[in-house]
Amino acid sequence: MKKAFLAIAFLSTALVSLNAQTSTLARLIERDYSGRSDSLLNTFTGQFMNRATGIFYAIPTSDPNAKSATATIYWQQAHALDPIIYAYQRIKNTDATRARFYKQTMQRWYQNHANNWYFKQGDDTGFYNTFTDDMCWICLTLIHISEALDDDTYAATARTIFDNYILPRGSWNDGYFSLPWKDDGSGPNACTNSPGSLVASKLYERYNESSYLEAAKNIYAYQANEMRKLNNDGRVEEPPLTYTQGTFGEAARYLYKITGQTEYKNMASKVLYYAINSTRCTYQGLLRNEGNSMDQSIFKAVLIPYLVNFVLDESMSATYKRPIINFLQKNANTLWSNLNLEAYPYTFCSYYWGETFDEESTPSMGAMASGVSLMENTARMALALTKTANNIDAIQQQNTKVPEQLFNAAGQPIKHLQKGVNLKKQMDGRIIKVFNK
């Protein structure tokens, strides 16, 4: 009886501590970012997505070169769709029309095999590719769709891909198991093994087969050993890139979630903290421009949701959560302040959020996906923290910045952003006219 009482007392203390932490973190939230995300999502789906197929184009769909420029854009499709899935999860119970559109986008994306440019005889999934990492990224998004729609179809496809096309490519070398970059055995590298470990963990969580956990641990061990060769300072690879920092951090966090082993928790904290603090990954306090190619420009879209997952994980340390919350909001606020809202809905994100998009250049889906991912996931983080805070009104009153609201030409709040709508933006109590292009 005494032991039971002590256990109850310990649990109660832990819950009080957790609620106190959540309330403290919630006070760091400056505003509701949902409206900003809805605005960028409207541009993203309107300017870069083929609505009939659910496929995202590398450049705006109105560009006559859009289709040819998108011919080999495959792994990037995973990260273009992810913020759409997060948005669906955010609004599915409050906006039936938009939820239906986002759901149809996921289904069409799946039916058109995410624009996979490779065909393999006998592949029933349609997602087989010569690049192992491409399939790993696609698998993560397929599992995410199943989580959002509560439909195992997509995760089951990811399982087939992993079982038949990803894991069999792996091999043991010098005591470590790793996945090659391509089907010819070249590699391995961080951009393959980081998501490979995470896919295995997610399959273990979903299907509870020990072979997946074993694979997740083995692949993780390879990448952790590669880090030790880099002085073990938090770099996942050289040069450090945001997408592998984020994915390996998430792989470590997931293994801690499954096993409770502290080494994984410590690794998740280390590599994610490096991503937001090192001048190798940042510039003037913002995530840096990692390059203008389709590959490079979408890297940030991979990191950001994993930073938010870390913040929302109750088992992770608040010592690392606080700087991540502040960092994401600084990036989101800076991006928004540099957007050309007068051109809405032709409002495009730059490769570096501290700069305004160069109107003389061609807009990039990768840069846009990164900006959309930032705003949607910051909105997800803000809503999750404030909804679980003890006193939401008190938190809002402490902030000097009020949440923004978008209005139509009649001065009425708009619930759904439509292409071509004439907007007004309320900012610190002032109404500013925003013109269409």
Side-chain angles (χ1 to χ4, degrees), residues 182-375:
K182 297 180 67 177
D183 57 0
D184 62 6
S186 60
N189 53 25
C191 73
T192 303
N193 287 278
S194 296
S197 175
L198 182 55
V199 171
S201 286
K202 283 181 165 283
L203 291 175
Y204 171 76
E205 180 183 54
R206 193 171 191 90
Y207 298 111
N208 196 31
E209 291 189 8
S210 60
S211 60
Y212 292 130
L213 179 56
E214 181 182 4
K217 288 180 175 180
N218 288 336
I219 299 170
Y220 169 93
Y222 161 80
Q223 197 57 52
N225 184 60
E226 292 298 298
M227 283 184 64
R228 285 190 282 272
K229 300 175 184 178
L230 300 173
N231 298 324
N232 206 27
D233 59 3
R235 285 175 294 161
V236 174
E237 61 180 333
E238 180 58 39
L241 299 170
T242 56
Y243 78 134
T244 46
Q245 292 292 137
T247 314
F248 192 59
E250 180 75 346
R253 187 188 72 84
Y254 238 89
L255 280 170
Y256 178 74
K257 177 182 178 182
I258 294 170
T259 69
Q261 295 178 16
T262 306
E263 65 171 290
Y264 298 125
K265 180 179 182 179
N266 293 341
M267 180 65 82
S269 303
K270 177 190 288 188
V271 300
L272 293 177
Y273 194 69
Y274 184 95
I276 69 167
N277 281 280
S278 171
T279 54
R280 304 289 305 283
C281 294
T282 64
Y283 176 68
Q284 296 183 341
L286 305 174
L287 290 172
R288 70 178 179 90
N289 174 4
E290 293 176 273
N292 294 3
S293 75
M294 183 52 58
D295 282 349
Q296 297 162 330
S297 60
I298 208 166
F299 285 169
K300 293 190 283 289
V302 185
L303 165 68
I304 289 164
Y306 297 147
L307 287 174
V308 172
N309 289 352
F310 182 94
V311 168
L312 300 184
D313 188 332
E314 297 173 353
S315 65
M316 295 294 112
S317 170
T319 301
Y320 295 98
K321 292 181 180 183
R322 292 188 187 96
I324 292 175
I325 293 170
N326 292 330
F327 179 80
L328 287 172
Q329 290 187 109
K330 179 179 180 179
N331 278 261
N333 293 334
T334 303
L335 167 63
W336 186 258
S337 69
N338 282 302
L339 291 174
N340 181 10
L341 294 177
E342 291 187 359
Y344 187 83
Y346 303 93
T347 300
F348 302 115
C349 299
S350 180
Y351 296 101
Y352 175 64
W353 297 324
E355 300 173 347
T356 301
F357 171 71
D358 179 4
E359 301 287 348
E360 300 300 317
S361 64
T362 302
S364 162
M365 185 273 276
M368 198 70 197
S370 288
V372 171
S373 179
L374 171 67
M375 208 62 73

Side-chain angles (χ1 to χ4, degrees), residues 38 42 51 95 97-98 344-345 414-423 436:
D38 290 340
N42 188 53
R51 295 197 173 209
D95 190 337
T97 301
R98 196 148 52 107
Y344 187 83
I414 59 173
K415 191 172 183 180
H416 313 297
L417 291 173
Q418 303 292 337
K419 182 177 179 180
V421 74
N422 192 17
L423 301 177
N436 293 331

Side-chain angles (χ1 to χ4, degrees), residues 43-57 59-61 77 80-81 84 101-102 104-106 108-109 365:
T43 293
F44 192 44
T45 57
Q47 305 302 321
F48 290 93
M49 192 180 80
N50 182 326
R51 295 197 173 209
T53 63
I55 299 304
F56 292 85
Y57 281 10
I59 56 180
T61 56
Q77 299 289 339
L81 187 67
I84 304 295
F101 167 56
Y102 289 157
Q104 289 173 344
T105 297
M106 297 178 224
R108 289 167 181 168
W109 182 95
M365 185 273 276

